Amino acid sequence: MLPLNPWEHPNALKKLYSRCVGDVCVRHKISRMELDILLFLANNPLYDTATDIVDIRYLSKSQVSASIRLLEECGYIRKEYTDSNRKTAHLRICEAAAEILRDGKAAQEKFLSIMMEDFSPEEQICMKQYYDRIYHNISRYLKEED
């Protein structure tokens, strides 16, 4: 059998990730989008606005907005505004989301450990550097096209 080209199989990554985080969503009665937003905020503290989530994760504004509203209603996040800018809401994770985040991060670790099985630490570092460069190239191209 011929080796698979990883660029031709992004759905396999999505399926594996969905399988890893699916139980978290069911256990905490939240949608996948809501979990993704909570994990994004927890994993990327420098990016804390809805616009950041849309721009960096390439998600639709309407889905992000609806999910943020539900997360707020459940008490998992709150919006904060700076005195100098009352238009931009900075999203803050509330203590009520701690268990969800713990379970979500454990699911992400499981996903990474499955993907990185049999890779040496050195290979993992190189792979991360390569993927960072690839993401930079893709982002730059997409921004030029917009």
Side-chain angles (χ1 to χ4, degrees):
M1 189 165 156
L2 293 175
L4 299 176
N5 178 342
W7 309 116
E8 295 174 347
H9 301 282
N11 288 336
L13 285 173
K14 289 179 185 177
K15 185 173 184 173
L16 175 61
Y17 188 78
S18 289
R19 193 171 287 176
C20 289
V21 300
D23 289 343
V24 177
C25 295
V26 170
R27 187 175 323 117
H28 295 285
K29 297 179 177 71
I30 62 172
S31 72
R32 168 69 188 279
M33 177 70 75
E34 292 161 3
L35 178 61
D36 286 348
I37 289 170
L38 286 172
L39 288 169
F40 177 87
L41 293 169
N43 293 332
N44 303 283
L46 297 178
Y47 302 101
D48 64 357
T49 67
T51 301
D52 291 335
I53 296 166
V54 169
D55 290 347
I56 294 170
R57 293 291 313 278
Y58 298 98
L59 300 171
S60 79
K61 285 181 184 180
S62 61
Q63 285 184 313
V64 169
S65 179
S67 294
I68 287 171
R69 193 173 324 107
L70 289 170
L71 288 167
E72 249 189 315
E73 289 172 6
C74 292
Y76 297 140
I77 62 172
R78 70 181 188 284
K79 294 178 181 174
E80 288 183 359
Y81 300 88
T82 61
D83 290 334
S84 61
N85 183 350
R86 300 295 299 166
K87 286 185 177 182
T88 302
H90 296 274
L91 305 172
R92 303 292 182 241
I93 298 172
C94 299
E95 183 60 34
E99 187 177 342
I100 297 170
L101 286 173
R102 186 192 70 233
D103 293 347
K105 285 184 176 193
Q108 286 182 325
E109 287 296 321
K110 177 181 178 182
F111 170 74
L112 285 173
S113 70
I114 292 168
M115 277 196 341
M116 295 298 159
E117 187 176 334
D118 298 329
F119 284 92
S120 71
E122 294 80 16
E123 289 172 320
Q124 291 181 36
I125 290 168
C126 286
M127 189 179 297
K128 181 181 180 336
Q129 291 170 342
Y130 295 147
Y131 280 120
D132 286 347
R133 285 169 51 195
I134 289 168
Y135 176 76
H136 173 77
N137 292 341
I138 291 169
S139 296
R140 186 180 66 234
Y141 177 82
L142 291 174
K143 282 182 178 37
E144 288 171 2
E145 292 294 308
D146 287 344

